[in-house]
Amino acid sequence: MKVSLENVATKESNRVDVHSHIAGLGLGPNGAPLPMGSGLVGQSNAREAAGIAVELIRAKKLAGKAILFAGPPGTGKTALALGIAKELGDNVPFSMLVGSEVYSAEVKKTEVLMEHLRRSIGLRIKEKKEVYEGEVTEFTPVEADGAIGGYEKTISHVILGLKTVKGTKSLKLDSTIHEMLQKERVAVGDVIYIEANSGAVKRVGRSDSYATQFDLEAEEYVPLPKGDVHKKKEIVQDITLHDLDVANAKPQGGQDIVSMMNQLGKPTKTEITDKLRTEVDKVVNRFLESGVAELVPGVLFIDEVHMLDIECFSFLNRALESSLAPIVVFATNRGKCAIRGTEIVAPHGVPVDLLDRLVIIKTMPYSKEEIAEIVKIRAKIEDITLDDGAVDKLSTVGAQRSLRYAIQLLTPASILAKFSYGAETVVQDHIDELINDENPLFLNARQSAKIMKEQGGYLQ
């Protein structure tokens, strides 16, 4: 059964996760960290260091190196990594992996790491293609009797009218292109282009002449294309090496760029071997040497890196020496601990030979004032109104217990205030009711551990 998500409407405001508020690193024009910016608070030294790393990545001077965020739990390591991704923009590949994800009964550990490494290496392909481009002025499918007669009708061809600043043109297109037009949801008023060689259809956006019809519309408006309808146009496509691996796991075409791109739409998939990846790398290197493509090193973020074992670290050591290596960002909350799979104790649970390759950025615990600002940001994102007393109480809880625990109390407090007291604003009394010492509704880790100790455990 084929499941399609194309027609599923989503409500953006309801999708709130732990790091929804992160929009960047919050740096000023000179690279200095702002006290509060882009959803980040505090961690000035770490944010400034991350900003320098971003500039190194943009200058393509950090390839083969890696960064390690090290600090206690709840000090913003994952947030900083996401901030780096936001600063780099959507065109730079960014892949996330947690250390424990590599352990699977179905896939080898090194295969999981290699797949994520290649997901993090982009390839920007620039080609001159013959296209038909313009605003759709007519979209008329022409029906014909079916092969078996009767009431069955099929689409024999489609009449498509395209308009540019310079002129208009009417095209008679095959029925297969009609299917592509439907897949792209093309309608009159859209700006599209059709590749003359392959018939591939790309919807660019809605013509800006329609922009004044509605006060609010979730649509991207683009200007009317210039020049003739039939022209040569430079097409830029961003893909990753993993896309090419998957597309060519069962090759059905040549080794030219058009054949490799055409494989992306094929559903067949087989195991991706080292031999296949070597062949893909050879073709990619040819593209790079000929100037057809440009390599875009992305970022691979591995959280809880101490969960990797000695085999994974050995593999990463070799992978970082490759000419097609992304920038790898690690994060850990461990100090000295044993390297998984050995009895060797090392800083952060990482072998010393890999540590020598790392630039280590330290994160520090937040102050009570910084926690208060983070609570306000999260409350705004989750559409929760807090009074000053509630903010002060939550910041105190965050400083004494943990930031994560304080943030997790926001939504329960809002529900308690609304349904038990009919209040829209959360006050300090609502927080106290949740976590009071006598009869708390929610326990923190220390309270739970204390009860377990007093009762001698739940299992008797």
Side-chain angles (χ1 to χ4, degrees), residues 295-310:
L295 197 67
V296 184
V299 177
L300 170 59
F301 175 56
I302 303 180
D303 204 359
E304 306 292 343
V305 67
H306 54 268
M307 293 297 295
L308 299 181
D309 62 15
I310 193 69

Side-chain angles (χ1 to χ4, degrees), residues 330-356:
F330 300 117
T332 181
N333 55 23
R334 301 297 171 90
K336 278 197 171 185
C337 63
I339 301 170
R340 184 168 178 147
T342 73
E343 296 181 357
I344 302 171
V345 176
H348 311 298
V350 180
V352 177
D353 55 343
L354 181 58
L355 273 176
D356 288 341

Side-chain angles (χ1 to χ4, degrees), residues 327-400:
I327 293 88
V328 182
V329 179
F330 300 117
T332 181
N333 55 23
R334 301 297 171 90
K336 278 197 171 185
C337 63
I339 301 170
R340 184 168 178 147
T342 73
E343 296 181 357
I344 302 171
V345 176
H348 311 298
V350 180
V352 177
D353 55 343
L354 181 58
L355 273 176
D356 288 341
R357 296 179 180 270
L358 306 182
V359 178
I360 302 175
I361 299 175
K362 184 180 180 181
T363 58
M364 302 294 293
Y366 291 104
S367 66
K368 181 181 175 182
E369 292 75 18
E370 291 170 344
I371 292 174
E373 294 299 329
I374 295 171
V375 167
K376 291 177 184 178
I377 292 171
R378 289 303 307 175
K380 184 177 180 181
I381 289 292
E382 298 184 27
D383 197 20
I384 296 172
T385 305
L386 303 173
D387 74 351
D388 292 340
V391 172
D392 184 67
K393 179 65 176 180
L394 286 172
S395 60
T396 301
V397 170
Q400 292 177 350

Side-chain angles (χ1 to χ4, degrees), residues 11-22 377-384 407-408 410-411:
K11 190 174 181 182
E12 189 72 25
S13 59
N14 285 341
R15 297 202 306 269
V16 177
D17 59 42
V18 178
H19 298 104
S20 294
H21 60 287
I22 304 299
I377 292 171
R378 289 303 307 175
K380 184 177 180 181
I381 289 292
E382 298 184 27
D383 197 20
I384 296 172
I407 295 299
Q408 293 299 330
L410 279 173
T411 304

Side-chain angles (χ1 to χ4, degrees), residues 5 40 72 82 86 105 146 184 228 274 343 370 404 420-421:
L5 299 179
L40 290 177
L82 292 173
K86 295 288 186 180
E184 288 285 320
D228 296 320
D274 289 338
E343 296 181 357
E370 291 170 344
R404 291 172 178 171
S420 297
Y421 297 95

Side-chain angles (χ1 to χ4, degrees), residues 421-443:
Y421 297 95
E424 294 296 329
T425 301
V426 177
V427 300
Q428 182 175 343
D429 290 343
H430 301 147
I431 307 296
D432 288 334
E433 186 172 342
L434 290 178
I435 59 172
N436 65 81
D437 291 330
E438 296 179 1
N439 188 26
L441 296 179
F442 297 101
L443 303 175

Side-chain angles (χ1 to χ4, degrees), residues 74-214:
T75 53
K77 297 182 291 296
T78 304
L80 286 169
L82 292 173
I84 290 175
K86 295 288 186 180
E87 292 286 344
L88 291 172
D90 295 332
N91 292 330
V92 176
F94 182 85
S95 180
M96 286 187 67
L97 175 69
V98 179
S100 56
E101 287 183 42
V102 303
Y103 303 105
S104 167
E106 300 176 356
V107 185
K108 293 185 295 184
K109 293 175 286 188
T110 53
E111 176 63 25
V112 175
L113 289 170
M114 177 58 82
E115 179 179 321
H116 280 81
L117 283 165
R118 293 179 74 83
R119 284 182 189 274
S120 308
I121 306 169
L123 198 65
R124 184 164 297 148
I125 301 170
K126 299 178 181 179
E127 289 185 281
K128 284 277 187 181
K129 290 188 177 181
E130 188 179 343
V131 300
Y132 293 91
E133 183 183 37
E135 176 192 329
V136 178
T137 57
E138 180 186 2
F139 184 16
T140 309
V142 178
E143 295 182 341
D145 292 333
I148 61 175
Y151 295 101
E152 183 189 5
K153 296 288 185 180
T154 59
I155 303 296
S156 62
H157 61 277
V158 60
I159 303 298
L160 190 73
L162 294 177
K163 178 179 73 173
T164 64
V165 173
K166 196 170 182 180
T168 59
K169 193 175 185 69
S170 181
L171 304 173
K172 182 179 178 181
L173 305 174
D174 186 68
S175 58
T176 56
I177 297 181
H178 175 255
E179 294 174 4
M180 297 181 188
L181 291 167
Q182 284 187 314
K183 187 176 181 181
E184 288 285 320
R185 298 184 185 178
V186 173
V188 172
D190 291 343
V191 175
I192 68 168
Y193 68 81
I194 304 173
E195 295 180 13
N197 294 332
S198 64
V201 177
K202 174 68 177 177
R203 182 181 183 274
V204 181
R206 190 82 172 156
S207 175
D208 57 7
S209 59
Y210 291 81
T212 58
Q213 284 192 347
F214 302 99

Side-chain angles (χ1 to χ4, degrees), residues 18-65:
V18 178
H19 298 104
S20 294
H21 60 287
I22 304 299
L25 289 172
L27 303 176
N30 60 350
L34 303 173
M36 183 172 63
S38 301
L40 290 177
V41 178
Q43 304 294 351
S44 298
N45 288 344
R47 284 197 284 146
E48 186 173 2
I52 294 172
V54 167
E55 293 304 319
L56 288 172
I57 294 169
R58 286 174 176 161
K60 300 179 182 178
K61 293 182 179 179
L62 199 60
K65 301 181 180 67

